[in-house]
Amino acid sequence: MGAQLRVYKRRIRSVTATKKITKAMEMIAASRIVKAQRQVAASTPYATELTRAVTAVATGSTTKHPLTTEAEAPSRAAVLLITSDRGLAGGYSSNAIKAGEKLSERLRGEGKEVDTYIVGRKGVAYYGFRERKVSDSWTGFTDSPTYADAKQVAAPLIEAIQTETAEGGADELHIVFTEFVSMMTQTPVDDRMLPLSLEKAQDETGTKDEILPLFDFEPSAEDVLDALLPRYVESRIYNALLQSAASEHAARRRAMKSATDNAGELIKSLSRLANAARQAEITQEISEIVGGSSALADATAGSDK
C-alpha cells in the first residue's frame, strides 16, 4: 500500500470515529428536548397566573413597591444573562451574550450602571477572559435546571431590588435568555422583570381589556406584594432557565446533525481520493510488470541471436 493511500485511510477512520460521536450527541440532545419542552409547557401557566395576580394587586392598590413602582431617576440596573455550561451548540451562547452586551450598552447609554449576573460557564468564561466584573455567577445546571436552582439565582437579585442604590442595590432587574420558539428557531430576548410594566403584563396574560375585580388586602397591599415579589422573580427565572435549556438542546441537536452530515460528505470525498490513489497504484504496478516483461523479452531475444 502506498503512502498516500495510507494517509487517506487513516483520515477516513478518524472522520468515521468523529461521525459516530456527533451522531450519538445528536440523538442524546434530541431525547432531552422532549423533556425540556414538557417542563416549559408545565411552568408557563404558573408564571402567567402569578403575573396575573401581581397585576391585579398592583392595579387594585396605590402602594409604592419595588415590584411595580418606577424609580424617579433610575441609576442602576441588574442584568441576569443565561448561557450554557457546555459548548458544541452552535451559536447558542454567543447569541445570548451578544444580546446581553446590546442590552448593557443601551442601559449605559441611558446613564445607568449595570451589575451583571451570569448563569453558565460560557458566559462566565467570556467575562472572565475580558476581566469584566461579575456580581455573581452560577454553573452546573443549565441543561437541566430545577426550581431550587431558580431560587438560588433569584435570591441575590431580589435582595438587590429591595436595597437602595446608594447601598449597592438596583432600580431595575433585566433578564437575557434564549426563547424556545420551535425545534428550528430559538431567539435571544431581553426582558425587564422589575419594575413590572402593568401594560405589558396585561398583554402577556390577556387581561388588557379585562375588567379586574376590586380587592381588599389583609394585612395590607404592601405585605401582599412583599410575599408575591420573590415568587414572581423565581417563577420568571425558572421559566427562562427552562426555555434556555430547551433552546440549548435544540441548538446542539442542529449543530451535531450538521457536523454528522459534513463528516459523511468528507468521508465520501476521502473515499473517492483513496480509490483514485489505489487505481493509480494498480496502474503503476501493471505498467511496471508490462515494462519488466518487455525488457525480459528483449533480453531473451538478444541472447538467442
Side-chain angles (χ1 to χ4, degrees):
M1 184 185 298
Q4 191 65 34
L5 184 57
R6 282 196 297 270
V7 170
Y8 288 137
K9 286 187 173 294
R10 191 182 304 118
R11 290 192 63 189
I12 290 172
R13 287 195 298 268
S14 176
V15 175
T16 301
T18 302
K19 181 181 178 181
K20 290 179 180 178
I21 294 172
T22 56
K23 184 64 176 179
M25 294 182 68
E26 176 190 347
M27 295 176 67
I28 291 171
S31 65
R32 290 178 175 175
I33 292 174
V34 178
K35 180 182 177 182
Q37 284 181 291
R38 290 174 181 170
Q39 289 179 317
V40 171
S43 70
T44 300
Y46 175 77
T48 302
E49 288 304 316
L50 190 55
T51 303
R52 183 193 296 265
V54 172
T55 304
V57 175
T59 54
S61 70
T62 57
T63 302
K64 290 187 177 182
H65 192 274
L67 186 61
T68 58
T69 305
E70 297 271 358
E72 292 183 1
S75 60
R76 200 177 193 94
V79 175
L80 174 62
L81 171 63
I82 300 177
T83 63
S84 67
D85 285 323
R86 299 186 295 127
L88 301 178
Y92 165 75
S93 289
S94 61
N95 290 337
I97 291 172
K98 288 178 183 177
E101 292 280 82
K102 186 177 180 180
L103 172 62
S104 297
E105 289 178 7
R106 176 166 60 83
L107 292 173
R108 292 190 183 98
E110 296 172 358
K112 301 170 186 174
E113 294 183 38
V114 178
D115 294 331
T116 305
Y117 298 78
I118 299 178
V119 174
R121 291 191 179 92
K122 291 298 179 181
V124 172
Y126 178 88
Y127 276 74
F129 180 77
R130 288 159 180 78
E131 298 182 349
R132 297 183 184 176
K133 181 182 177 182
V134 175
S135 298
D136 208 344
S137 62
W138 303 266
T139 60
F141 55 81
T142 59
D143 61 343
S144 184
T146 63
Y147 196 82
D149 298 323
K151 291 183 68 174
Q152 180 184 359
V153 174
L157 296 171
I158 295 171
E159 182 180 355
I161 203 70
Q162 292 177 327
T163 304
E164 296 292 334
T165 53
E167 300 175 3
D171 296 312
E172 298 178 355
L173 175 57
H174 299 258
I175 184 170
V176 179
F177 66 98
T178 306
E179 182 182 13
F180 181 84
V181 180
S182 67
M183 293 288 288
M184 297 301 297
T185 306
Q186 301 85 43
T187 308
V189 296
D190 65 86
D191 189 20
R192 193 184 76 173
M193 286 195 292
L194 295 175
L196 177 65
S197 172
L198 296 182
E199 184 176 350
K200 182 178 179 181
Q202 289 172 347
D203 286 338
E204 291 177 352
T205 58
T207 58
K208 186 173 183 179
D209 300 323
E210 179 181 337
I211 300 176
L212 297 175
L214 297 176
F215 292 92
D216 290 328
F217 301 105
E218 280 293 336
S220 67
E222 185 176 0
D223 290 332
V224 173
L225 288 171
D226 284 339
L228 288 175
L229 174 61
R231 303 291 176 268
Y232 169 75
V233 175
E234 290 166 5
S235 67
R236 291 293 297 271
I237 291 177
Y238 182 50
N239 186 260
L241 288 172
L242 292 177
Q243 294 258 12
S244 297
S247 299
E248 178 184 347
H249 294 316
R252 181 168 292 112
R253 175 186 175 275
R254 191 167 60 250
M256 291 300 98
K257 184 180 187 307
S258 177
T260 301
D261 294 342
N262 290 339
E265 292 297 322
L266 183 56
I267 289 172
K268 290 181 181 178
S269 176
L270 290 172
S271 296
R272 285 194 292 267
L273 292 173
N275 291 336
R278 183 184 300 109
Q279 186 64 42
E281 288 183 10
I282 293 172
T283 302
Q284 182 178 358
E285 290 176 358
I286 292 174
S287 299
E288 290 175 353
I289 292 172
V290 171
S293 177
S294 298
L296 182 61
D298 292 343
T300 303
S303 61
D304 290 340
K305 294 178 181 180

